[in-house]
Amino acid sequence: MTTEAGFLQDVCAHPDDNFPRRAYADWLDDNGDLARAEFIRTQLDLASLEGPTPASLALARRAEALLAAHEADWRRGLPELEGVTWGEFQRGFVESATFESVKAFPHHAHAVFGAAPLRSARFTRAPYQAVRNLATSPWLARLRELNLGNTGMDAQTARPLLESPHLGNLTSLLLHGNLLGNGGAADLAQRLRGPQLRELYLSGNNISERGAAALVEALDLPCLRDLDLRDNPLGNDGAIELSSSACWPELRTLYLVNAGIETVGAMALAHARHFPLLSLLFLNHNPIGDEGAQALAASPHCANLTQLDLRNCDLTDDAGRALAASPHLNGLTLLWLTGNRIRRLDVLAALRQRFGDAVRV
């Protein structure tokens, strides 16, 4: 094994650790590959920063310039594997791959994880027997993100995966656009054990209030930060169930777009006291009406919101007045109100005076 291969092996074996990546960059510097070394350090520094700042924008521009000049050369070191498409560079290396089928993952896993510090895998097809085999693969433990969205997976197909003992290191699980239904939601709540899971995407799975109740009752994810339930027929009862949950104290982002939530459901969400860190709430395309918006504006539990999406929510000038006069929405950096019937010039002026450029009407 060459010295460079030894450095790369260390990077691949410790995908979460920045130290082997910086050590590799130092070796590249010493051996004349200055551009590759700079790119690794630049992306590492960029990943350590939160939010857009002058420093992060400058780093992003520099990384893009280096990538534009050298990406083709750097990708030549990745093996060409049937049914595998390599993803984008993160923290200096390709960290993701798309597999044409679940079957391709165990077949190519040794080569994939030996060539790159893979942390994310996406699949485009997921037949039942292949998912059963995937669930037994110890390579799953190397992943931080597992994406099985839009694969047509139903509750029966998902069950062996949810029972896998190798999902404990996941931080993101994407199951959007499938056919899980309420039964799949109940299975997920009862079987999934993801102590580190931070993101769970379940949009478009035909989950109603029964599924929401199952999630609230049994889904124990203490680190969950982002929950996506958009495009599910939750209705008011589903919103009420979610509002009662004390299982996700770290929740920051809640997507409830197009979920059939009306005034009663919005009022329940406004009074939800178990989400003290919630900062992004997406309720757009729900007919919550003026009373729903007024409840949100009047609730102290909404004080930590930084983004509130109320597009196409059947709101009028009364809702606009309440939002402009809210004593609690001081932290909003984005307030979406387009697609409503807020038209009076004095109301629009009040919203602009209160929220400035943060409001979108």
Side-chain angles (χ1 to χ4, degrees):
M1 179 184 296
T2 66
T3 302
E4 183 173 10
F7 277 107
L8 181 60
Q9 184 181 65
D10 196 24
V11 170
C12 293
H14 304 92
D16 298 329
D17 192 351
N18 288 339
F19 180 79
R21 301 184 189 221
R22 292 193 182 276
Y24 185 31
D26 290 343
W27 183 88
L28 290 168
D29 256 344
D30 293 340
N31 287 271
D33 196 344
L34 304 184
R36 183 80 172 99
E38 183 187 0
F39 177 72
I40 293 172
R41 294 194 188 98
T42 299
Q43 281 209 323
L44 285 172
D45 292 343
L46 180 60
S48 70
L49 301 176
E50 292 188 9
T53 64
S56 67
L57 293 174
L59 288 169
R61 285 193 294 269
R62 182 56 183 158
E64 289 171 3
L66 289 165
L67 200 59
H70 302 284
E71 182 176 10
D73 290 336
W74 296 340
R75 285 190 179 274
R76 289 193 186 98
L78 298 170
E80 293 186 11
L81 304 169
E82 185 177 358
V84 179
T85 302
W86 294 102
E88 302 302 314
F89 283 84
Q90 299 287 334
R91 295 160 62 223
F93 297 82
V94 171
E95 291 190 348
S96 62
T98 296
F99 295 83
E100 186 177 291
S101 170
V102 170
K103 295 179 182 179
F105 182 78
H107 182 70
H108 292 305
H110 191 273
V112 168
F113 285 98
L118 201 73
R119 303 171 83 242
S120 173
R122 175 179 174 267
F123 301 94
T124 58
R125 291 187 290 116
Y128 175 70
Q129 188 57 49
V131 173
R132 284 179 60 88
N133 294 336
L134 174 68
T136 65
S137 173
W139 291 106
L140 282 178
R142 298 281 292 271
L143 295 176
R144 301 300 174 264
E145 178 177 289
L146 180 60
N147 185 345
L148 285 156
N150 298 309
T151 57
M153 178 181 289
D154 59 16
Q156 181 182 8
T157 305
R159 190 168 296 130
L161 177 69
L162 299 174
E163 293 175 340
S164 172
H166 306 301
L167 302 183
N169 292 323
L170 286 184
T171 58
S172 300
L173 178 59
L174 290 77
L175 297 172
H176 54 281
N178 284 313
L179 305 169
L180 297 181
N182 292 327
D187 275 353
L188 186 145
Q190 294 167 3
R191 302 170 192 271
L192 180 63
R193 296 295 175 264
Q196 300 185 60
L197 200 69
R198 296 185 178 187
E199 299 177 333
L200 179 60
Y201 287 77
L202 296 172
S203 62
N205 270 285
N206 199 30
I207 297 171
S208 70
E209 69 275 4
R210 286 200 299 113
L215 294 175
V216 168
E217 182 178 349
L219 188 61
D220 184 18
L221 297 176
C223 295
L224 190 65
R225 294 189 175 191
D226 297 350
L227 178 60
D228 188 351
L229 288 168
R230 77 186 88 182
D231 298 324
N232 284 298
L234 298 172
N236 289 327
D237 290 340
I240 292 170
E241 291 287 352
L242 293 172
S243 300
S244 68
S245 174
C247 300
W248 314 313
E250 294 292 317
L251 197 67
R252 266 81 162 173
T253 306
L254 182 57
Y255 293 96
L256 295 174
V257 181
N258 189 34
I261 297 171
E262 301 170 323
T263 298
V264 172
M267 293 176 72
L269 291 166
H271 293 98
R273 56 188 178 86
H274 298 299
F275 305 138
L277 302 179
L278 189 68
S279 59
L280 282 70
L281 178 59
F282 296 86
L283 279 172
N284 43 310
H285 296 275
N286 288 291
I288 69 170
D290 288 344
E291 289 185 81
Q294 288 164 351
L296 292 166
S299 174
H301 301 300
C302 295
N304 289 326
L305 290 181
T306 60
Q307 296 187 31
L308 177 60
D309 195 337
L310 299 177
R311 288 174 291 174
N312 299 95
C313 282
D314 199 19
L315 308 183
T316 73
D317 292 317
D318 288 341
R321 289 190 189 92
L323 292 165
S326 170
H328 307 296
L329 299 178
N330 299 318
L332 286 184
T333 58
L334 277 175
L335 171 62
W336 285 279
L337 293 172
T338 54
N340 292 297
R341 289 172 288 128
I342 301 174
R343 295 167 180 161
R344 285 182 60 97
L345 294 180
D346 60 324
V347 175
L348 295 172
L351 286 166
R352 185 68 66 190
Q353 182 177 4
R354 173 65 189 279
F355 299 109
D357 292 336
V359 68
R360 304 285 191 270
V361 283

